[in-house]
């Protein structure tokens, strides 16, 4: 029997593969999707969804502790970890049908549940059946990276793939890796009742964020009790009784032993490149994943890569979605264009949330010199934040010499929702003057964006301008 021929065949049922498959089928293409485990990928089962559900549970505990400031007495707070994790599971179960094989078959996608094996650039085998395709899409994603720390393989540890199944709340949790994943989970467990130490090799907290905004977040997290060990390498791990001991080598040459009853490894991601025959067709890869050009083509004609598997790409669910939409355009229609990453928002879901788009102040000064503008508003002084007695923060907008937005940073409640406004401004080359002219509802946290934008207008209202306006208003 001849193998069926598809217009698109995606290997991997995470966000990138799902958007590719659903979008292709919606455009009228014949599409196949192969997933060897569970559709929904890292985001649904081990990443975005469970972490945000656990963060919500932890935030509830923290709000209960602080209810007295509103005149509400709650008494001692008791955390039942098994019930918090049951909440996580319920959320996953509610979302899972949206990503299920049945739903995608209903969309017109041929879904194959099994392990793919690439035989040729346009020929794939699954469950003993051969499938042909004009466009083969690699969307196999990543898995947690495990660093080569001496002794680590001899002790029990968690990654984001296992932490949501932890049996008991740790008295002390050690987290190796102080990036977004490690820090989000560190705060969540601290709020649930654990003492948490975060070990980070970089000498500064959140080095890829704007330094001023990151420092404010670090202060707030430390005020909650998180303990950060920056510029410290985990040089050895061992077990003593029921405790896991991590030895830190610090920048000043000293060492420190930290003991905990649970260890979380959160040091980044490793691409899933093996066990499906990718090497047999000569696709170029490196440590970061599959190498593509700007259109997501690999070096092998008819073979594409999309999502977290792409070397050098931003490993976010929303970026995987964006990439998949661009891939559909390039693979199915005449001509092609590079994927536009000029306005990608980032969000870290700590409390307060930290979000940014575009350049940091340091990056802007490096590219544009001292002609940039920096416009700020203390989020803690905004009326809505005051009414809610919410954690403060900062809105910081970076502009070029013409006042156009080239960077935006928000630390505060709902920062992840608010960053969309600055993303639009950057994407469409808007000025802060245009942002400041937008009517925002009162009272909302987003008013901080308007108020920061107005700082530029106020800064120019001096000298001859101020004198002229004074004469005009007093001319009668």
């Amino acid at each position: 029997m001849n193998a069926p021929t598809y217009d698109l065949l995606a290997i991997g049922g995470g966000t990138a593969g799902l958007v590719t498959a659903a979008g292709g089928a919606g455009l009228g293409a014949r599409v196949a999707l192969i997933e060897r485990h569970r559709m929904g990928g890292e985001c649904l089962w081990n990443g975005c969804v469970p972490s945000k559900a656990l963060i919500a549970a932890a935030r509830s505990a923290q709000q209960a502790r602080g209810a007295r400031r509103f005149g509400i007495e709650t008494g001692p707070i008791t955390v039942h970890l098994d019930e918090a994790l049951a909440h996580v599971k319920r959320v996953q179960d509610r979302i899972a049908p949206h990503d299920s094989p049945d739903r995608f078959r209903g969309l017109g996608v041929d879904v194959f549940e099994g392990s793919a094996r690439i035989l040729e650039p346009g020929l794939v085998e699954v469950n003993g059946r051969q499938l042909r395709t004009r466009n083969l899409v690699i969307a196999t994603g990543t898995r947690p990276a495990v660093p080569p720390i001496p002794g680590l393989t001899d002790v029990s540890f968690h990654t984001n793939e296992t932490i949501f199944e932890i049996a008991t709340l740790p008295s002390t949790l050690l987290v190796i890796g102080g990036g977004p994943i490690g820090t989000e989970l560190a705060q969540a467990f601290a709020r649930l009742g654990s003492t948490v130490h975060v070990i980070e090799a970089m000498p500064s907290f959140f080095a890829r964020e704007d330094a001023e905004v990151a420092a404010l977040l670090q202060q707030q997290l430390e005020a909650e009790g998180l303990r950060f060990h920056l510029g410290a390498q985990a040089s050895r791990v061992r077990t003593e009784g029921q405790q896991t001991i991590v030895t830190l080598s610090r920048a000043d040459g000293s060492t420190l032993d930290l003991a905990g009853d649970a260890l979380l490894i959160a040091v980044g991601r490793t691409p899933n490149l093996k066990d499906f025959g990718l090497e047999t067709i000569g696709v170029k890869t490196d440590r970061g994943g599959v190498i593509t050009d700007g259109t997501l083509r690999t070096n092998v004609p008819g073979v594409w890569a999309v999502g977290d598997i792409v070397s050098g790409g931003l490993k976010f669910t929303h970026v995987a979605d964006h990439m998949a939409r661009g891939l559909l355009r390039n693979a199915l229609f005449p001509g092609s264009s590079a994927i536009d990453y000029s306005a990608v928002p980032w969000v870290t879901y700590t409390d307060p949330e930290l979000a940014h788009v575009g350049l940091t102040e340091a990056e802007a000064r490096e590219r544009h010199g001292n002609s940039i503008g920096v416009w700020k508003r203390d989020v803690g002084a905004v009326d809505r934040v005051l009414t809610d007695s919410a954690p403060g923060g900062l809105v910081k907008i970076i502009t070029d010499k013409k006042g156009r937005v080239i960077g935006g940073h928000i630390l505060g409640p709902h920062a992840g929702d608010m960053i969309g406004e600055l993303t639009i401004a950057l994407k469409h080359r808007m000025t802060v003057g245009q942002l400041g002219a937008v009517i925002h509802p009162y009272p909302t946290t987003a008013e901080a964006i308007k108020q920061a934008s107005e700082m530029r207008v106020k800064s120019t209202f001096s000298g001859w301008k101020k004198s002229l306006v004074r004469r005009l208003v007093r001319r009668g």
Side-chain angles (χ1 to χ4, degrees), residues 18 75 89 96 104 115 126 155-156 182 192 197 225 275 283 287 290 293 333 363 368 382 462 474:
L18 294 177
K89 181 66 165 56
F104 273 74
S115 296
V126 57
V155 304
S156 175
L192 292 171
H197 293 265
D275 301 327
V283 169
R287 291 180 60 188
V290 175
D293 64 12
F333 296 96
E363 291 168 340
H368 299 275
V382 175
S462 61
R474 295 180 178 178

Side-chain angles (χ1 to χ4, degrees), residues 345 410 415-426 449:
I410 305 173
D417 298 307
M418 292 164 57
I419 198 64
E421 184 174 346
L422 296 182
T423 303
I424 292 171
L426 190 151
I449 294 175

Side-chain angles (χ1 to χ4, degrees), residues 83-95:
E83 295 179 20
L85 295 178
H87 159 71
V88 172
K89 181 66 165 56
R90 285 193 299 271
V91 173
Q92 291 174 308
D93 289 344
R94 290 191 65 179
I95 295 174

Side-chain angles (χ1 to χ4, degrees), residues 345-349 353-355 410 412-421:
W346 300 24
V347 183
T348 300
Y349 295 91
E353 293 177 355
L354 175 62
I410 305 173
H414 316 298
D417 298 307
M418 292 164 57
I419 198 64
E421 184 174 346

Side-chain angles (χ1 to χ4, degrees), residues 264-322:
L264 172 64
I265 303 295
V267 296
R269 311 292 299 173
T270 295
N272 292 318
L273 295 171
K274 298 180 179 179
D275 301 327
F276 60 98
L278 188 62
E279 66 283 354
T280 65
I281 59 173
V283 169
K284 291 183 178 179
T285 64
D286 61 17
R287 291 180 60 188
V290 175
I291 298 171
T292 70
D293 64 12
T295 70
L296 301 178
R297 288 181 172 87
T298 72
N299 61 300
V300 178
V303 181
W304 309 74
V306 65
D308 289 3
I309 194 65
V310 175
S311 180
L314 297 171
K315 302 191 188 314
F316 302 135
T317 297
H318 50 286
V319 173
D321 180 298
H322 175 69

Side-chain angles (χ1 to χ4, degrees), residues 51-396:
S51 65
K52 305 317 170 271
L54 187 66
I55 286 168
R59 182 172 60 247
S60 179
Q62 188 75 359
Q63 289 171 339
R65 293 187 188 99
R68 186 68 182 86
R69 69 186 186 276
F70 296 109
I72 300 170
E73 189 68 62
T74 59
I77 302 301
T78 301
V79 171
H80 300 281
L81 183 64
D82 57 339
E83 295 179 20
L85 295 178
H87 159 71
V88 172
K89 181 66 165 56
R90 285 193 299 271
V91 173
Q92 291 174 308
D93 289 344
R94 290 191 65 179
I95 295 174
H98 182 78
D99 296 342
S100 68
D102 286 346
R103 177 174 179 266
F104 273 74
R105 290 180 181 122
L107 295 174
V109 178
D110 288 349
V111 178
F112 297 90
E113 299 175 75
S115 296
R117 183 74 184 172
I118 301 173
L119 305 178
E120 300 172 7
L123 184 63
V124 178
E125 183 179 75
V126 57
N127 299 332
R129 182 176 180 182
Q130 292 187 353
L131 311 174
R132 292 195 177 276
T133 183
R134 297 182 181 88
N135 294 283
L136 176 59
V137 180
I138 310 302
T140 50
T142 60
R143 64 186 184 277
V146 178
I149 303 171
L152 183 60
T153 56
D154 298 324
V155 304
S156 175
F157 63 88
H158 291 281
T159 68
N160 68 297
E161 291 185 342
T162 62
I163 193 66
F164 303 108
E165 299 171 359
I166 192 169
T168 58
L169 183 68
S171 174
T172 300
L173 174 66
L174 307 180
V175 181
I176 298 179
I181 295 174
T183 303
E184 286 178 6
L185 291 174
Q187 185 185 33
F189 274 93
R191 288 180 159 191
L192 292 171
S194 299
T195 297
V196 182
H197 293 265
V198 180
I199 303 157
E200 171 54 49
M202 296 292 290
S204 58
F205 177 72
F206 277 22
R208 299 184 71 179
E209 297 285 349
D210 185 270
E212 180 181 18
V213 182
L216 288 174
L217 175 59
Q218 182 182 350
Q219 291 170 14
Q220 296 197 36
L221 294 175
E222 288 176 336
E224 284 194 20
L226 274 74
R227 305 174 189 183
F228 291 95
H229 304 269
L230 304 177
Q233 295 277 356
S235 56
R236 183 187 173 198
V237 181
R238 67 186 189 277
T239 299
E240 290 185 4
Q242 300 299 313
Q243 296 282 293
T244 298
I245 312 297
V246 177
T247 299
L248 307 187
S249 297
R250 299 186 287 196
D252 61 3
S254 65
T255 62
L256 174 68
D257 281 352
L258 295 176
D261 47 339
L263 173 63
L264 172 64
I265 303 295
V267 296
R269 311 292 299 173
T270 295
N272 292 318
L273 295 171
K274 298 180 179 179
D275 301 327
F276 60 98
L278 188 62
E279 66 283 354
T280 65
I281 59 173
V283 169
K284 291 183 178 179
T285 64
D286 61 17
R287 291 180 60 188
V290 175
I291 298 171
T292 70
D293 64 12
T295 70
L296 301 178
R297 288 181 172 87
T298 72
N299 61 300
V300 178
V303 181
W304 309 74
V306 65
D308 289 3
I309 194 65
V310 175
S311 180
L314 297 171
K315 302 191 188 314
F316 302 135
T317 297
H318 50 286
V319 173
D321 180 298
H322 175 69
M323 294 167 76
R325 294 168 192 269
L327 180 146
L328 289 171
R329 179 184 63 245
N330 292 334
L332 298 178
F333 296 96
S336 63
S337 58
I339 309 301
D340 180 10
Y341 303 107
S342 62
V344 176
W346 300 24
V347 183
T348 300
Y349 295 91
T350 48
D351 184 15
E353 293 177 355
L354 175 62
H356 90 254
V357 65
L359 303 179
T360 66
E361 181 179 349
E363 291 168 340
R365 292 194 185 282
E366 184 177 341
R367 296 191 193 185
H368 299 275
N370 291 325
S371 65
I372 67 167
V374 180
W375 317 104
K376 306 177 188 178
R377 177 56 168 158
D378 176 5
V379 171
V382 175
D383 291 358
R384 179 57 186 273
V385 177
L386 291 170
T387 64
D388 292 353
S389 190
L394 183 69
V395 166
K396 183 174 184 178

